[in-house]
């Protein structure tokens, strides 16, 4: 099921702390960075914090700029993003500023926590999600039931840790402040546990007065049918590659990327690349990969269109090329229609060969875009 784009936002000291242990909150960002955060808030559909952050910081989580609020209204959006908190117990302070400023508020909680939260008379909607809290269920609820497409997560450390460990964070925006805390009792941004392997991709570094903003994207694919945020990033890239294809009236425009389990890109390609009028995207990408590379056995192929099961131009269809390369996981956006090959079922060929095929239909329209000129 589609999920929101999840953006983690935090500021830390040079030694990785979110705060110190003093009675007042440690201000890590600069005035210019607070304004940047306000701009990001104005761009999203919802802002989420854990219940611990409400207790510790008593935040308002507002868009402070009147101009940005007015621009949201002019665009047909609420003046303020939806404010969301997550609490398994439902033990929340009804007097906290979170409930009494801004626009709509929502509590995501357990069945038991919902009874307690409702009894408190909170100025918020309360959504019970079952006996236990589950992040994927919570994100699905925000996307499907609340229309949240972009979600900004502002804390605390436990929330950030869990979303990263479960592969559900699409982006990390981290501000590094020129301060040292040095108190082992102070809260840190990330806790211990099993994180996805591989290096995050650095996409921006920006000096803002005396702090530095860095933006990272995850790269490590999911495993089996488990979808991670990195899977969505790589499939989006495959759809972008499809737009590079020389147009054809007799073949689809498709993009493909081969990615190792640690998030290393092994190869990419697109249909009719290099002037080969009958080259398919997966074929073009795999031709660039070293066939003896042991990483292929745990790699993922991302293809904007389901790999073909049959083709007239070459003996081996792409589904067979993928299996022969040793790849056993494929993520695609669009099942092949009957435009050129009736009853195409590349997924069936892949599954019969022991591969897992994951379809992310939220990318189907992007995959279809460079093929609009084709019949049907």
């Amino acid at each position: 099921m589609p999920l929101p784009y999840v953006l983690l936002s935090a500021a830390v000291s040079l030694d990785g702390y979110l705060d110190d242990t003093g009675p007042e909150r440690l201000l890590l960002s600069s005035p210019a960075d607070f304004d940047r955060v306000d701009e990001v808030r104005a761009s999203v559909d919802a802002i989420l914090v854990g219940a611990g952050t409400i207790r510790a910081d008593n935040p308002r989580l507002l868009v402070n700029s009147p101009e940005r609020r007015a621009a949201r209204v002019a665009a047909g959006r609420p003046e303020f993003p939806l404010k969301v908190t997550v609490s398994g117990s439902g033990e929340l302070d009804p007097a906290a500023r979170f409930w009494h400023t801004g626009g709509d508020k929502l509590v995501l909680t357990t069945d038991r926590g919902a009874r307690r939260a409702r009894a408190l008379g909170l100025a918020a909607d309360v959504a019970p999600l079952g006996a236990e809290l589950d992040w994927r269920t919570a994100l699905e609820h925000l996307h499907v039931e609340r229309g949240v497409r972009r979600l900004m997560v502002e804390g605390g450390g436990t929330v950030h840790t869990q979303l990263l460990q479960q592969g559900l964070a699409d982006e990390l925006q981290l501000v590094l402040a020129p301060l040292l805390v040095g108190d082992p009792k102070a809260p840190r941004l990330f806790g211990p546990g099993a994180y996805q392997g591989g290096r995050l991709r650095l996409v921006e570094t920006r000096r803002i007065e005396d702090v530095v903003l860095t933006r990272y994207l995850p790269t490590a694919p999911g495993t089996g049918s488990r979808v991670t945020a990195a899977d969505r990033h790589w499939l989006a890239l495959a759809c972008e590659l499809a737009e590079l294809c020389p147009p054809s009236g007799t073949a689809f425009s498709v993009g493909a990327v081969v990615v190792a389990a640690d998030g290393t890109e092994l190869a990419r390609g697109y249909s009719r690349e290099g002037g080969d009028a009958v080259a398919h995207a997966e074929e073009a990408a795999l031709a660039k990969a070293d066939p003896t590379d042991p990483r292929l056995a745990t790699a993922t192929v991302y293809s904007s269109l389901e790999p073909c099961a049959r083709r007239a131009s070459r003996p081996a269809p792409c589904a067979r090329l993928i299996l022969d390369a040793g790849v056993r996981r494929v993520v695609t956006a669009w099942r092949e229609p009957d435009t050129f090959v009736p009853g195409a079922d590349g997924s069936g060929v892949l599954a019969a060969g022991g591969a897992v095929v994951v379809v992310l239909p939220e990318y189907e329209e992007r995959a279809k875009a460079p093929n609009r000129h084709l019949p049907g």
Side-chain angles (χ1 to χ4, degrees), residues 152-174:
M152 183 180 186
V153 180
E154 294 201 40
T158 299
V159 172
H160 282 126
T161 295
Q162 291 175 352
L163 288 169
L164 266 181
Q165 288 179 339
Q166 295 177 34
L168 295 171
D170 291 274
E171 179 179 341
L172 170 61
Q173 293 190 0
L174 183 64

Side-chain angles (χ1 to χ4, degrees), residues 344-356:
D345 185 19
S347 296
V349 173
L350 289 163
V356 173

Side-chain angles (χ1 to χ4, degrees), residues 242-263:
E243 298 173 358
L244 301 177
C245 299
S248 170
T250 58
F252 290 109
S253 293
V254 183
V257 192
V258 186
V259 182
D262 67 355

Side-chain angles (χ1 to χ4, degrees), residues 28-116:
L28 294 164
S29 293
S30 67
D33 187 58
F34 283 127
D35 185 67
R36 178 197 64 83
V37 170
D38 194 67
E39 182 179 19
V40 177
R41 287 178 179 175
S43 73
V44 302
D45 302 304
I47 303 168
L48 183 147
V49 293
T53 297
I54 294 179
R55 299 185 191 105
D57 297 340
N58 196 21
R60 297 184 304 156
L61 299 178
L62 301 177
V63 175
N64 292 310
S65 164
E67 293 78 15
R68 290 174 183 142
R69 296 200 304 269
R72 286 178 59 90
V73 173
R77 306 171 74 188
E79 182 180 9
F80 294 97
L82 173 70
K83 295 200 296 187
V84 185
T85 191
V86 177
S87 170
S89 68
E91 295 177 355
L92 297 157
D93 181 4
R97 294 188 297 183
F98 182 91
W99 316 110
H100 303 289
T101 56
D104 293 339
K105 295 94 183 171
L106 173 66
V107 179
L108 299 178
T109 184
T110 60
D111 297 337
R112 176 176 54 87
R115 292 190 290 271
R116 181 174 289 119

